[in-house]
Amino acid sequence: MKIVNAVLTKIVEIYNVSMIDHKQFARLVNKLIRFIFDVLDWLVYFLTYFTNYKKKDDLPRISSDALFISAKKLAEKIKAKDLRCVDVVEAYINRIKDVQPYINSVVQDRFEEALKEARAVDELVENSLVSELNNKPLLGVPLTVKETIAVKGMSNNAARSRVKERKAERDAQVIESLREAGAIPLLVSNTPELCLYIETSNPRYGTTNNPYDLRRTVGGSSGGEVSLLASAASVIGVGSDIGGSLRIPAFFCGVFGHKPTPGYVPNDGHVPTSTDPMWDYYFTLGPLTRYAEDLPLMLENMITEKSKVGKLRLDEDVDVSKLKIYFMYGEGPNSILQTVPNVECVRAIGLAISTLRDKYQCQVEEIKLTEFQDSVFLNSQILQMSGIENVYQTNDDKPDDWGWVRMVEVILRKLLFRSSASMSCILFGPLKKLLDLTPENVRGLVRQKVTKIQTTVTDLLGNDAVLLYPSFSEEAPMHNRLCSKILDISYLSIFNVLGMPVTQCPVGMTREGIPIGIQIAATPHHDRLSLAVARALERELGGWTPPANPKV
């Protein structure tokens, strides 16, 4: 094994040094990688053609008007006794039961407990003045939660194959805070195993489907949450994001999501987690909503240290007309590893630009940050973190305590159909081991490059501008086709690496009725700017569009 390690170390060292000192050689290697993924793309398309060639089913009709009301307005109506909380909760429970056979999003529900809590809310409202309820801005609003985030008494296992079952002994801090604001959790939703894939599918709970076309993916890893939101089976949800895990499902399903500036929303209660000091920088919990006005409301109530809320100034009005709008179409024409965005994703950027320019008279400018062309490699820093739980470990307290022999053993078990671990979790092992061989001097150079890009972007955007960027290279594809697009998570994970807040915003539909959207990025601590632009675009372009057969 020492010989194998030495050879692999030398290969990685030669490649990385060549990437820095010999651009021509690096470009050749990148083209080879791109060729491999292009071949994989065609192969995957062929293999999945017939499995996805079936009639497109539609979801049941949305039957309750309460399902078309934002969380903010729901709370106001419940406090004013215009709506009973129990009626709202029952409407959502019925909708979840209607769509679950189609979308397969629910891991475990707590409907009986939720109805008890709803009756308690109605009793509280009956015996209180509206002014006495002002400290509960989400009073009586149904909430759904990604299963990887702890809700007391509910499954909190991330579909792990090596751990049969795990229930949360207490709420994560964000859930506790949202409960204090009045929200009522209804269920926990599906994810890929250990959140290690961009499709929401696992051997234990199966595959979650896209409400707009059940043959298509919802993305991952917060796919169960987003599928419920898009189906009008939820109005607010909690997801997590380390490489677009919250934003790519929101894009594929046409709802709103926000990756906050790191350090504001606590990450406790999440499975998996990491002991790496960079974990709380790259990884963050975030809000998912159907209506843009609920994003700042959710974010404010997910920040448990209230002294931090004021720093984000979420309650301040933002004059969108005075913001500068920069935009890019991905890494640009010289990109090799990242797939160029298709016509629908380009149209989404164009639609947002023309709306902000024509309706708000914003100053709009296309930019080309050449530094973004290394985003695929810069994103490797996330996978180089230590202490991340995986299917290879044998000790819960030592996630990194496994070697090549253990890796070969687990892979062989999978090949012999003696392991239920997801293939994405299996492939994580070799990739992690190879990346761990990266020489320290190369890692240092990558860190320097990240710092340089951070400075460039911060100087460009300042405190009065946002960057519009594609969410992915294409709208939601058919199931099982994302494996050939794995490099395109660089559209999303670059903002995790840079520590920037990003809002995912729907801007319309394709001709086939599939949602399209964009990312709106701002400099750290200026979340309110991207949130304000999302609200402006929702006002002009409509925001979330119900799936087929909406209530007319």
Side-chain angles (χ1 to χ4, degrees), residues 230-252:
S231 304
S234 175
V235 66
I236 52 173
V238 183
S240 59
D241 195 305
I242 192 170
S245 302
L246 178 149
R247 286 164 286 149
I248 193 168
F251 166 59
F252 284 168

Side-chain angles (χ1 to χ4, degrees), residues 288-340:
L288 287 158
T289 69
R290 234 185 313 139
Y291 300 99
E293 70 173 349
D294 292 334
L295 282 178
L297 178 63
M298 279 285 287
L299 179 56
E300 181 176 345
N301 286 282
M302 289 173 69
I303 300 173
T304 55
E305 292 184 40
K306 298 310 175 186
S307 59
K308 291 183 176 180
V309 175
K311 191 173 182 181
L312 291 183
R313 295 150 57 190
L314 295 172
D315 58 343
E316 287 188 12
D317 290 331
V318 175
D319 188 345
V320 174
S321 65
K322 293 182 179 179
L323 296 180
K324 288 178 283 188
I325 310 296
Y326 295 101
F327 65 95
M328 293 174 62
Y329 293 106
E331 294 181 356
N334 294 323
S335 171
I336 297 174
L337 293 180
Q338 188 183 81
T339 310
V340 175

Side-chain angles (χ1 to χ4, degrees), residues 57-108:
D57 294 322
D58 293 331
L59 297 189
R61 183 182 295 272
I62 302 172
S63 59
S64 172
D65 290 333
L67 302 179
F68 288 94
I69 304 173
S70 71
K72 182 178 180 180
K73 291 183 174 63
L74 273 176
E76 291 171 354
K77 286 179 177 292
I78 289 170
K79 291 177 188 178
K81 302 179 186 178
D82 293 334
L83 282 174
R84 290 198 315 154
C85 179
V86 71
D87 292 337
V88 173
V89 170
E90 282 182 345
Y92 272 98
I93 289 174
N94 290 335
R95 181 61 180 169
I96 292 165
K97 290 178 178 179
D98 283 346
V99 301
Q100 171 62 9
Y102 295 83
I103 61 175
N104 187 37
S105 291
V106 181
V107 170
Q108 184 182 0

Side-chain angles (χ1 to χ4, degrees), residues 18-36:
S18 299
M19 182 178 67
I20 296 165
D21 299 333
H22 307 290
K23 293 182 179 179
Q24 190 173 7
F25 177 76
R27 190 171 181 81
L28 181 64
V29 173
N30 290 349
K31 285 184 175 180
L32 176 60
I33 295 172
R34 180 71 265 164
F35 173 75
I36 292 171

Side-chain angles (χ1 to χ4, degrees), residues 380-391:
S380 65
Q381 287 192 113
I382 296 174
L383 289 173
Q384 288 174 342
M385 284 191 296
S386 61
I388 300 177
E389 185 174 349
N390 56 83
V391 297

